[in-house]
Amino acid sequence: MASSLNESSPYNKFEIRRRNPDPKSCALLVIDMQNCFSSIAKPILSNLATTVHLCRNASIPVIFTRHCHKSPADYGMLSEWWNDNLVLDGTPEAELIPTLDRKPEDMVVEKNTYGAFRNTQLEEKLVEMGVKEVIVTGVFTNQCCEMTAREAFVRGFRVFFSADATATSDSELQEATLKNMAFGFAYLVDCQRLRHALSIK
């Protein structure tokens, strides 16, 4: 029987269904933990580190994404939406936060839109690895994390969405995404649930 989220968490009120991830068929996606988003990412660094540790100890592959633009040809609608204030490849802002526990063998997927599946070969790589489930962590909860989770769901992956290792610019947006995810796309997890599910003491 699956454990519940931490009883002190405000997010278990959103849960409609519960399930634990299967480490034999799961991958951890760490979305856009980059220098340009460090102020948003800072509050979840500890929980993300715990999540990565739990997954590594359960032999779950860890995949990082890095949002960057190489030329105006790949700006798309983001250019209009964010007034050309984009993350440009080759700049310090585009690099992953150096304190992350990233190993040389960890896959890094480059993307140039919110979702991590569009034009990245991520789906094909996951299938090759035998992955059927993904755990989504990182920033921003309501943009790149949510879009990636939705894309994974419609591609047939079972999605687990972290309530305490995702972050965005305000609490209302955070809660809105968690409510959306729990309603139609993903099972909510946190560090406590993962620790129980993955049998890490």
Side-chain angles (χ1 to χ4, degrees), residues 22-57:
D22 178 2
K24 295 179 180 178
S25 61
C26 198
L28 174 66
L29 303 182
V30 182
I31 306 297
D32 298 356
M33 293 289 287
Q34 296 165 252
N35 291 327
C36 54
F37 306 130
S38 60
S39 62
I40 299 295
K42 185 176 180 180
I44 63 165
L45 283 174
S46 177
N47 286 337
L48 181 61
T50 297
T51 301
V52 170
H53 171 73
L54 292 170
C55 288
R56 289 199 194 284
N57 281 5

Side-chain angles (χ1 to χ4, degrees), residues 30-189:
V30 182
I31 306 297
D32 298 356
M33 293 289 287
Q34 296 165 252
N35 291 327
C36 54
F37 306 130
S38 60
S39 62
I40 299 295
K42 185 176 180 180
I44 63 165
L45 283 174
S46 177
N47 286 337
L48 181 61
T50 297
T51 301
V52 170
H53 171 73
L54 292 170
C55 288
R56 289 199 194 284
N57 281 5
S59 299
I60 293 173
V62 180
I63 300 172
F64 292 84
T65 72
R66 189 172 73 89
H67 187 105
C68 61
H69 295 276
K70 300 180 186 300
S71 76
D74 68 24
Y75 289 1
M77 278 299 299
L78 293 184
S79 176
E80 175 182 325
W81 205 253
W82 301 110
N83 298 315
D84 287 329
N85 184 22
L86 302 178
V87 184
L88 301 180
D89 193 31
T91 63
E93 290 78 13
E95 296 305 313
L96 294 173
I97 295 172
T99 56
L100 296 174
D101 179 25
R102 184 163 66 90
K103 306 298 185 186
E105 63 270 21
D106 293 336
M107 186 187 306
V108 178
V109 174
E110 292 186 355
K111 64 186 187 65
N112 57 30
T113 189
Y114 294 143
F117 285 86
R118 185 173 180 269
N119 296 330
T120 65
Q121 301 297 305
L122 176 58
E123 180 178 7
E124 291 81 357
K125 292 171 183 176
L126 292 175
V127 171
E128 286 176 9
M129 296 162 62
V131 170
K132 298 178 182 178
E133 303 179 348
V134 294
I135 303 169
V136 177
T137 63
V139 296
F140 283 50
T141 308
N142 58 308
Q143 291 176 303
C144 296
C145 294
E146 180 169 343
M147 181 68 80
T148 296
R150 289 170 180 260
E151 289 179 333
F153 180 88
V154 299
R155 285 167 169 78
F157 294 96
R158 181 174 293 114
V159 181
F160 296 86
F161 199 94
S162 176
D164 64 356
T166 54
T168 190
S169 55
D170 69 57
S171 59
E172 288 187 0
L173 291 173
Q174 179 80 12
E175 290 205 354
T177 288
L178 293 177
K179 189 173 183 178
N180 273 334
M181 290 292 101
F183 182 81
F185 302 98
Y187 299 95
L188 299 184
V189 294

Side-chain angles (χ1 to χ4, degrees), residues 2-5 7 12 15-20 187 193:
S3 67
S4 64
L5 287 173
E7 290 304 318
N12 56 359
E15 289 193 302
I16 296 171
R17 51 189 68 82
R18 295 178 179 179
R19 189 183 183 113
N20 286 333
Y187 299 95
R193 177 169 293 173

